[in-house]
């Protein structure tokens, strides 16, 4: 089996490549990246390309499976740029898969594609995927769900899988995720237990998480098994104020949503943090996913708990950890100065 992976040098991509390289059913892996990484894995060759700009047909020709992970989170102040890369780039990849008659497409959707959900029950893969309109990320994920609804009837011989994971962490992704969501003004030592005195307990503020290694295995199974459709993947427990307060040795403080919404919006407008206020609004409305289908049909189960995953991330944050790829480059003072000089949340 020959597998092509876009976004292969990022948080999820490196874990997917590692999982595929250990599977005897996989003979070769083509990792499509925008910048050459020093890190590599067995059976893997790198191909330098930008999915939004370059010809993709020759890259997927002869592949048995394409796993499409590539995604641009920034610049959050320029949604046209992220739309061009994420939506139009993904459509280019989907159409290349169709033209080249690739037998299987595994696409990285997200819990963020889901419409707002109930607080007291879990939702399966049939829950509507219309996202939340105030943030680019859920808008783009939801649009691509609709595009695939039209793609599948036009290409019935291509097996399409939509993976919908929760928030994904590992030690080596800590520096990248600090850059993408928290910005250069957040010190690494805040990941140390006992240094944060309080955790805000805001209605709706909770999330499902899992370790990158576990999501890598889920993608591997989706690639090698004859399955179709959507799969929710996440680990237990759901990360809420109770769980985080215990993990960080902090005290819970009940707050209304507006108490965080205003400061976050102001910090984003001032380019102090890269994550947009709409992303905070999205998290408050996310449903809690039921992962029964992934367990039953993929045969997938997480090896790490959600607290293991977030614990690794916090440890990596303290250490400025990373990996020898451009997206996962370790943290350092020069990098933070570069973030400030180029405008927090302003550049791809």
């Amino acid at each position: 089996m020959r597998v092509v992976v876009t976004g292969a040098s990022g948080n999820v991509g490196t874990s997917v490549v590692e999982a595929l390289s250990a599977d005897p059913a996989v003979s070769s892996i083509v990792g499509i990246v925008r910048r050459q990484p020093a890190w590599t894995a067995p059976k893997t060759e790198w191909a330098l390309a930008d999915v939004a700009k370059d010809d993709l047909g020759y890259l997927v020709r002869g592949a048995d499976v394409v796993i499409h992970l590539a995604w641009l989170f920034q610049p959050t102040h320029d949604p046209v740029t992220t739309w061009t890369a994420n939506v139009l780039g993904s459509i280019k990849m989907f159409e290349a898969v169709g033209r080249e008659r690739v037998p299987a497409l595994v696409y990285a959707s997200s819990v963020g594609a889901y419409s707002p959900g109930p607080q007291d029950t879990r939702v399966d893969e049939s829950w509507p995927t219309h996202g939340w309109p105030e943030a680019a990320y859920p808008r783009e994920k939801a649009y691509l769900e609709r595009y695939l609804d039209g793609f599948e009837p036009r290409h019935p011989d291509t097996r399409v899988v939509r993976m919908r994971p929760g928030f994904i962490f590992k030690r080596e992704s800590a520096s990248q995720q600090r850059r993408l969501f928290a910005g250069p003004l957040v010190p690494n030592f805040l990941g140390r237990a006992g240094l944060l005195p309080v955790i805000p307990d805001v209605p709706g503020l909770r999330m499902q998480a899992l370790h990158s290694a576990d999501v890598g295995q889920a993608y591997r199974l989706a690639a090698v098994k004859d399955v179709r459709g959507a799969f929710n993947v996440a680990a237990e427990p759901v990360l809420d104020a109770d769980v985080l307060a215990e993990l960080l040795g902090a005290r819970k403080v009940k707050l209304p949503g507006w108490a965080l919404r205003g400061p976050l919006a102001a910090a984003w407008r001032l380019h102090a943090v890269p994550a947009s206020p709409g992303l905070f609004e999205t998290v408050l409305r996310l449903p809690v996913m039921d992962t029964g289908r992934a367990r039953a049909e993929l045969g997938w189960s997480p090896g790490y708990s959600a607290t293991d995953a977030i614990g690794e991330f916090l440890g990596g944050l303290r250490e400025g950890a990373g990996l020898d790829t451009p997206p996962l480059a370790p943290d350092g003072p020069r990098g933070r100065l570069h973030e400030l000089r180029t405008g927090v949340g302003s550049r791809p």
Side-chain angles (χ1 to χ4, degrees), residues 18-29:
E18 285 184 327
L20 291 169
S21 69
D23 191 318
V26 176
S27 58
S28 64
I29 304 159

Side-chain angles (χ1 to χ4, degrees), residues 10-309:
N11 173 23
V12 178
T14 50
S15 291
V16 169
V17 167
E18 285 184 327
L20 291 169
S21 69
D23 191 318
V26 176
S27 58
S28 64
I29 304 159
V30 178
I32 300 178
V33 294
R34 288 190 298 124
R35 296 164 291 175
Q36 181 76 34
W39 177 87
T40 192
K43 309 178 191 175
T44 303
E45 58 181 298
W46 301 116
L48 297 182
D50 186 325
V51 297
K53 300 175 182 177
D54 297 327
D55 174 41
L56 304 174
Y58 80 98
L59 291 170
V60 303
R61 192 167 298 140
D64 296 291
V65 183
V66 169
I67 300 177
H68 182 51
L69 307 172
W71 199 263
L72 199 63
F73 285 96
Q74 293 184 17
T76 55
H77 290 270
D78 183 5
V80 173
T81 295
T82 60
W83 181 271
T84 300
N86 298 333
V87 174
L88 301 185
S90 293
I91 289 171
K92 275 188 65 182
M93 175 55 77
F94 299 160
E95 293 304 316
V97 165
R99 284 194 309 274
E100 299 297 332
R101 301 183 181 275
V102 178
L105 167 66
V106 182
Y107 161 63
S109 188
S110 167
V111 62
Y114 280 121
S115 302
Q119 300 289 311
D120 54 349
T121 59
R122 299 193 177 215
V123 305
D124 65 15
E125 290 81 359
S126 65
W127 191 257
T129 51
H130 303 307
W132 178 250
E134 289 188 25
Y137 181 81
R139 283 198 307 268
E140 293 162 359
K141 290 293 186 185
Y143 189 94
L144 290 171
E145 290 273 358
R146 299 291 73 74
Y147 194 89
L148 287 175
D149 289 345
F151 176 90
E152 291 187 69
R154 290 189 290 114
H155 301 281
D157 294 333
T158 296
R159 179 175 64 85
V160 177
V161 181
R162 313 180 198 195
M163 303 300 289
R164 296 180 186 151
F167 294 80
I168 304 166
F169 301 99
K170 65 180 174 184
R171 176 184 173 276
E172 294 85 356
S173 72
S175 293
Q176 180 199 36
Q177 289 172 318
R178 196 275 305 152
R179 290 191 290 268
L180 289 175
F181 304 112
L185 302 181
V186 173
N188 289 351
F189 63 74
L190 284 183
R192 188 173 301 140
L195 287 184
L196 277 178
V198 297
I199 291 291
D201 185 5
V202 175
L205 188 56
R206 78 258 189 279
M207 64 181 181
Q208 288 173 284
L210 71 165
H211 196 284
S212 296
D214 286 327
V215 83
Q217 291 298 334
Y219 276 97
R220 178 188 66 81
L221 291 166
V224 303
K225 289 197 167 191
D226 187 18
V227 295
R228 293 174 179 256
F231 291 93
N232 296 337
V233 286
E236 298 295 334
V238 175
L239 299 176
D240 58 14
D242 290 319
V243 174
L244 292 175
E246 182 176 354
L247 184 67
L248 290 167
R251 181 170 55 91
K252 283 193 311 173
V253 174
K254 285 191 175 293
L255 289 175
W258 59 260
L260 292 182
R261 187 178 297 118
L264 284 173
W268 180 73
R269 284 194 295 269
L270 292 169
H271 291 261
V273 297
S276 73
L279 197 57
F280 172 70
E281 298 292 340
T282 301
V283 173
L284 294 182
R285 291 165 174 81
L286 291 178
V288 176
M289 300 182 296
D290 181 283
T291 60
R293 184 173 188 237
R295 295 169 187 268
E297 296 186 33
L298 279 182
W300 175 85
S301 60
Y304 296 83
S305 69
T307 49
D308 291 336

